Amino acid sequence: MELSGLGDRKSLLNQCIEERYKAVCHAARTRSVLSLGLACFKQQPEKGEHSYLVQVFNLTLLCTEEYVIEPKSVQFLVQHGFNFNRQYAQGIPYHKGNDKGDESQSQSVRTLFLELIRARRPLVLHNGLIDLVFLYQNFYAHLPENLGTFTADLCEMFPAGIYDTKYAAEFHVRFVASYLEYAFRKCERENEKQRAAGSPHLILEFCSYPSSMRAHIDYRCCMSPTTHHPHPTSICDKFSAYGWCPLGPQCPRSHNIDLIIDTDEAVAEDKRRRRRRKEKRRRALMNQPETKTCGETEDGPPTKQVCGDGAMKAEETEQKVAEDLAKDQSGCEQDHKNDVGMELKTAQPGITDMTSSEVAGRQASPNPVPGDGLHRAGFDAFMTGYVMAFVGVSQELQPCSSEPWLPECHNKVYLSGKAVPLIVAKSQFSHSSKAHNQKMKLAWGKS
C-alpha cells in the first residue's frame, strides 16, 4: 500500500506492543490509503506442482473524508512517479470505518475486501502489522481499541491464515537481510539455480490481455536473475543491511541489490570455508567426531555487521537504526516495507517503453531515482507473493494439504525491533468486536 503518512515513527516502534498498536491505529484513523496493490496467485496443478497463474492489480484510491497527508510522503511518491493529479481525478472513492447503510451490492473497494474475506484464502503481507491495521480501518470497520480484540477479529476474517514474508525471510529461510526487494531478488536467484539444476522450482504464468486494455496496464521488465551489473563503487553498508540509506540516490556507494547479494554470498562462503578448516583442525587435535560449530547452531536469524554496530545484538541494532530514522525526517516518510522506512526499487529496469537514452542515463548512476512511475503498490504485492510462493517450493510443501500451508509462519506477523512475532490468535480472554460480528453476518448472509 501507498499511504499518505504514518505519523510519529518512534511511537510506531514502542517496545510495548499494545502501545505500538494504538500508535498504528492513530495513523490509520488520521491518514489514508492512496493506492492498494493486490497480487493473486492461483495454483495450476495440471501444469506443475509449483505452477501459478498470477494477476497483479494496482488500485489508485481517494478517501472521501478529511485526512492528513505528510509533505515527506508526497515528496517520496512524486519522486517515484505517483500521479496525484490522476489520483484526485480518477481515484476510486472510499470511506473509512463502519459501513454506511447496505453496501453489500455496491461496487467499491470495501466490497472487494469483503470478497477477499469470503474467498477464505491465505493473506500474505510483508512487515504486515501496519498493512493489517490500515486495511481494517479503511475498508472493513472501525478498529478495536485493544490488540487482543483486533487479532481475534483477524482470525475469523482470514481462517486460512496470515503470512508475513519478512518473518519468513528472517526467521524461517534465514536470509541475512529481509527487506522486500532483497528477499524478492534472493528468491528469484535461488529459483533460477533450482530450475537450472532440474530441482523443483517456481513457475509463473501471467494473463494475456487484449490490446484494448493496453492503456490500463503497466508492464515492468525484471532483469534475468543471472544478469548482474556490478558497480565499481563499494556497496552501502546501511542500505545493504536495512534497505534504507539517509543519502538516498546521492549516496556515493552502490545500492544495487544483485551486487549486495553477490557480496553476501561471497562472505557466507568464506565463513563456511573458515568453519570447515577450523573444525577439521579441532577434530584432528582432539580426535572427536564432526559436530556443528557455534555459527551453525544459533537460534536467531543471521545478521549483517554494519559499521558502528560493534557487538550490539541484532534486536538492539534494528531498534537503534529505526529510532535514528525517526529523528532524521529527511529519510523516507512513506514506505514501511523494510526494517525502518523505505525501500528504493533500484534493481529492476524501467517500463518497457523507456528510451535507450533514459536507460543509459540510469545505468550511469549507482543509485538512480525511479521517477518514471516504477514504484507501484501492485509490484510490491507481486514481490511479496513471489517470496511466499518460493518459500513454499524450498520447503517442499504440499499446496493442497488441509493443514496450515506453512506451519512455522502461520499467523505470525513480523515486529520491528523484536525477536518474536505477533501471534494472530483468539485467546480465551479476548472477544471479537461488535463491528466485526456485523461484518461477518454481512459476509455470510446471516441475519
Side-chain angles (χ1 to χ4, degrees):
M1 289 191 295
E2 305 292 357
L3 310 176
S4 68
L6 284 171
D8 178 28
R9 296 304 185 277
K10 197 166 185 179
S11 64
L12 300 179
L13 297 163
N14 197 303
Q15 287 299 295
C16 173
I17 302 305
E18 190 71 43
E19 293 300 317
R20 186 182 299 194
Y21 169 72
K22 291 179 180 178
V24 181
C25 287
H26 176 72
R29 291 176 182 128
T30 55
R31 275 74 175 170
S32 74
V33 179
L34 305 180
S35 68
L36 175 67
L38 179 65
C40 302
F41 284 66
K42 181 181 179 181
Q43 296 165 3
Q44 301 186 108
E46 72 281 0
K47 295 187 176 181
E49 185 179 0
H50 302 290
S51 176
Y52 292 86
L53 176 66
V54 183
Q55 280 188 285
V56 182
F57 303 91
N58 191 84
L59 307 178
T60 301
L61 309 179
L62 181 63
C63 181
T64 57
E65 303 164 1
E66 290 186 356
Y67 60 89
V68 174
I69 185 163
E70 300 172 20
K72 290 293 183 180
S73 298
V74 175
Q75 184 180 35
F76 172 79
L77 288 171
V78 168
Q79 287 175 350
H80 290 77
F82 189 87
N83 189 332
F84 279 94
N85 287 333
R86 181 178 179 182
Q87 185 216 1
Y88 281 98
Q90 303 176 16
I92 303 170
Y94 77 92
H95 68 84
K96 299 182 185 181
N98 296 335
D99 290 340
K100 296 180 178 180
D102 184 10
E103 299 188 28
S104 59
Q105 302 302 318
S106 65
Q107 294 182 344
S108 65
V109 185
R110 298 176 69 87
T111 307
L112 171 63
F113 188 68
L114 202 61
E115 287 300 320
L116 296 179
I117 293 173
R118 288 184 177 128
R120 292 179 176 269
R121 294 292 186 267
L123 177 66
V124 182
L125 312 107
H126 186 87
N127 203 3
L129 177 60
I130 291 175
D131 286 348
L132 288 168
V133 172
F134 268 80
L135 285 171
Y136 193 112
Q137 175 66 24
N138 284 268
F139 312 127
Y140 189 66
H142 285 308
L143 283 159
E145 291 300 322
N146 62 77
L147 182 60
T149 304
F150 178 65
T151 55
D153 290 354
L154 290 176
C155 283
E156 295 183 356
M157 292 164 65
F158 302 102
I162 295 172
Y163 296 87
D164 192 321
T165 52
K166 187 168 178 65
Y167 177 81
E170 191 161 316
F171 290 92
H172 189 58
V173 294
R174 297 173 60 82
F175 291 162
V176 295
S178 58
Y179 51 94
L180 181 56
E181 189 178 3
Y182 184 100
F184 169 68
R185 198 65 175 158
K186 179 74 172 177
C187 289
E188 267 195 314
R189 291 162 56 118
E190 293 301 316
N191 192 63
E192 176 61 23
K193 291 177 185 177
Q194 292 181 199
R195 186 199 65 78
S199 302
H201 60 281
L202 188 61
I203 302 171
L204 299 185
E205 178 183 338
F206 295 88
C207 294
S208 297
Y209 297 99
S211 57
S212 59
M213 295 183 63
R214 183 178 179 84
H216 305 287
I217 300 173
D218 287 337
Y219 292 94
R220 178 156 183 169
C221 179
C222 297
M223 290 187 297
S224 167
T226 58
T227 303
H228 312 304
H229 298 285
H231 300 289
T233 54
S234 59
I235 64 172
C236 171
D237 288 337
K238 184 166 285 189
F239 188 90
S240 172
Y242 304 110
W244 170 84
C245 170
L247 299 179
Q250 282 73 46
C251 181
R253 299 192 173 196
S254 177
H255 294 175
N256 182 282
I257 295 296
D258 280 311
L259 183 58
I260 290 170
I261 295 176
D262 286 341
T263 303
D264 290 344
E265 290 178 350
V267 170
E269 179 58 31
D270 182 63
K271 287 182 178 179
R272 281 193 290 268
R273 286 197 298 265
R274 290 171 182 269
R275 282 199 298 266
R276 286 195 293 266
R277 288 198 297 266
K278 185 177 179 180
E279 180 64 15
K280 186 176 181 180
R281 290 195 300 268
R282 190 185 69 82
R283 291 200 309 272
L285 291 172
M286 303 181 66
N287 195 26
Q288 291 184 353
E290 182 176 357
T291 58
K292 286 186 177 181
T293 58
C294 99
E296 297 170 320
T297 58
E298 294 175 354
D299 292 332
T303 57
K304 295 189 181 188
Q305 188 70 21
V306 181
C307 294
D309 286 350
M312 200 181 299
K313 294 181 180 178
E315 182 177 339
E316 295 172 349
T317 300
E318 182 177 338
Q319 185 69 19
K320 182 180 184 301
V321 174
E323 290 175 355
D324 288 346
L325 174 65
K327 296 174 183 177
D328 182 10
Q329 295 301 316
S330 63
C332 169
E333 289 283 335
Q334 171 60 29
D335 204 336
H336 59 279
K337 292 301 175 188
N338 61 352
D339 292 9
V340 293
M342 78 173 177
E343 276 181 39
L344 298 176
K345 302 298 185 290
T346 58
Q348 280 79 20
I351 297 174
T352 52
D353 61 359
M354 287 172 60
T355 65
S356 58
S357 61
E358 288 175 323
V359 174
R362 298 230 170 131
Q363 291 178 345
S365 170
N367 308 310
V369 176
D372 51 9
L374 301 186
H375 188 83
R376 289 285 188 272
F379 194 72
D380 282 354
F382 167 71
M383 290 194 290
T384 301
Y386 187 100
V387 171
M388 204 73 242
F390 177 78
V391 170
V393 174
S394 65
Q395 301 301 309
E396 299 181 353
L397 301 177
Q398 300 299 323
C400 299
S401 172
S402 59
E403 298 299 318
W405 183 59
L406 185 59
E408 295 85 350
C409 300
H410 181 78
N411 282 349
K412 294 178 180 178
V413 177
Y414 185 87
L415 292 173
S416 296
K418 293 288 186 180
V420 294
L422 170 67
I423 306 298
V424 179
K426 185 174 182 178
S427 75
Q428 58 181 336
F429 304 107
S430 60
H431 302 281
S432 299
S433 67
K434 182 179 178 180
H436 163 74
N437 289 333
Q438 291 175 342
K439 291 291 288 191
M440 285 291 98
K441 291 177 182 178
L442 179 64
W444 307 115
K446 297 177 182 178
S447 58

